[in-house]
Amino acid sequence: MSIPQPQLPTGLPTDLWLGLTQVPSSSGATFEVDDPATGETVATVADATIADAARALDAAVAAQEKWAEFSPRQRSVVLTRIFEVVAQRSEDFARTMTIEMGKPLAEARGEVAYGNEYFRWFAEEAVRIPGRFATAPGGNGHILVSRAAVGPVLAITPWNFPLAMATRKIAPALAAGCPVIVKPAHETPLTMLLLGEVFAQVFAELGVPDGLVSILPTTDAAAMSAHLMADQRLRKVSFTGSTPVGRQLVRQAADNLLHTSMELGGNAPFVIAADADLDLVITCAMQAKMRNGGEACIAANRFLVDASIAEEFTTRLTRAMEAVIPGHGLDGATTLGPVITAKQRDRIASLVDAALAAGAQATTGGTLPDGPGYFYPATVLVNVPADARILHEEIFGPVATITTFTTLDQGIRAANDTEFGLASYGFTTNVDTAQYLAENLHAGMVGINRGAISDPAAPFGGIKQSGFGREGGSEGIEEYLDVRYIALN
Ligand code: NAD
């Protein structure tokens, strides 16, 4: 594996963004950010304290009043300008993301385009916030329904999509009229700190109030969020991350009755009916499994295939997985980057090892490579026992499990046999079967003959232990709005 010099953009910010200003941590503390492909430190970043968070909330509260004076059209213009500047700097964003998170540069470029699209989409939604006017049924007056910004928002994001997981929250919040404090994952704070530079430029250019967005990387997320959530001026927590942390935040949010949006874990099934088009299935299987190296909440974890085509599917998926090229994300040939940390890699290895020990077989992969970085190979497992942990936990890595069914209902039952309900995929060439799959796979999102389903114009989110709330679509802005009823004569 060749490892190009990981060169971050010159002058990349590493201090906190308290509104428009870069400041060191009030404690002076810093932490290191590693390149997961080498394990080497690439940057040292300010480690925010609860005092920094308190200052950010003061600034957010002050900014909200001034931001409310911006008309929907003016807010839309600000978001559009952010979209333009991010697009101009897309290569800086993509390289930064690859270096701190590991994904291949081509995928990082894809995330920049996708993540940035939320600014454009919500620039368009800012001017379409709905209302309603009706005559009261009794004829004794009128009903006016409008929407108002919920207030300051805390946005907590994971490391797997360092830009998009935050822009899905920041863009609708700003469009709705809310200030935001962003707490990026400490593994990948650099992409967000770079976005802070874009905010500083655009906000200064367009006279946006200072304090509207603050960005606070910290190694003590629990202390920071607890402190902010105890302050009644904070009105919402939007969280993307693991289900246990989501549950804890919902409990904490109860004390001040905060709005919450919870985008949590998944365990997506990928159901392949006997009549599916296998060429399409393989293309989509690789998208659904290997995008982001499998480190995606909507990654296909469980391939459930009709027994009559299982052998051919297994052979072809194995071949496609064998063609994957692991390496440093900056190397143009790479199609699979490292896992984010040694701990995550070891977790994946333990799930695979336990399945193998229980009788599963690997048709490819399954053994840890030597060398630097946190790499795990593209792996396909067959004959996995039904009670193996790997079928019930989120894998979050480049491992596909294949199990078979003999009737479609059996396949659907197995697909739904999970506490999660984020995404499901179904494949068939029969329109009735397609509709049957769409209606019977239990998830917030169902892809029919599609392996890539994320779209800023569509409502992204889950059911059951995958959480609640939606990001994107016209639904996404509702999460940042309170309904207000005005009774009129
Ligand atoms: P994580 O829950 O460990 O961390 C997510 C974020 O929460 C990070 O910023 C972290 O610093 C912060 N955090 C951790 N403990 C906290 C606490 N006690 N209080 C407040 N904040 C805390 O998750 P992760 O390992 O970074 O991300 C992977 C998880 O995210 C997976 O389960 C994945 O499915 C999920 N995810 C979900 C979606 C979705 O849209 N549903 C998208 C991407 C990732």
Side-chain angles (χ1 to χ4, degrees), residues 272-278 281 306 308-309 408 427-434 437 449:
I272 309 162
D275 62 5
D277 169 352
L278 270 189
V281 165
D306 190 286
S308 64
I309 54 167
L408 189 61
F427 286 77
T428 174
T429 49
N430 179 298
V431 71
D432 293 332
T433 309
L437 283 164
N449 293 326

Side-chain angles (χ1 to χ4, degrees), residues 17-21 63 67 70 74-75 77-83 85 119 170-171 173-175 178-180 182 195-215:
W17 283 105
L18 261 180
L20 299 175
T21 317
W67 187 231
F70 278 61
Q74 287 169 319
R75 295 202 296 267
V77 166
V78 171
L79 289 169
T80 303
R81 184 72 190 125
I82 295 167
F83 169 79
V85 178
F119 289 118
I170 302 168
L174 296 184
C178 303
V180 194
V182 186
L195 186 64
E197 198 166 85
V198 174
F199 290 139
Q201 178 191 329
V202 172
F203 290 0
E205 217 174 89
L206 299 178
V208 172
D210 195 2
L212 190 63
V213 180
S214 288
I215 300 170

Side-chain angles (χ1 to χ4, degrees), residues 379-433:
T379 297
V380 177
L381 297 183
V382 293
N383 298 326
V384 183
D387 59 353
R389 269 170 56 217
I390 199 160
L391 294 182
H392 301 280
E393 294 179 22
E394 194 170 28
I395 303 171
F396 238 59
V399 181
T401 62
I402 301 176
T403 43
T404 62
F405 57 82
T406 45
T407 68
L408 189 61
D409 280 331
Q410 205 182 44
I412 290 173
R413 263 199 307 281
N416 291 336
D417 182 20
T418 167
E419 60 174 340
F420 295 106
L422 191 59
S424 293
Y425 304 86
F427 286 77
T428 174
T429 49
N430 179 298
V431 71
D432 293 332
T433 309

Side-chain angles (χ1 to χ4, degrees), residues 156-160 165 168 183-185 221-222 225 239-242 245 248-249 263-266 297 394 396 422 460:
I156 305 177
T157 58
W159 46 262
N160 59 344
M165 295 303 101
R168 311 209 278 211
K183 205 305 282 171
S225 59
F239 173 73
T240 299
S242 59
V245 175
Q248 185 180 327
L249 290 171
E263 299 285 347
L264 309 178
C297 51
E394 194 170 28
F396 238 59
L422 191 59
F460 190 105

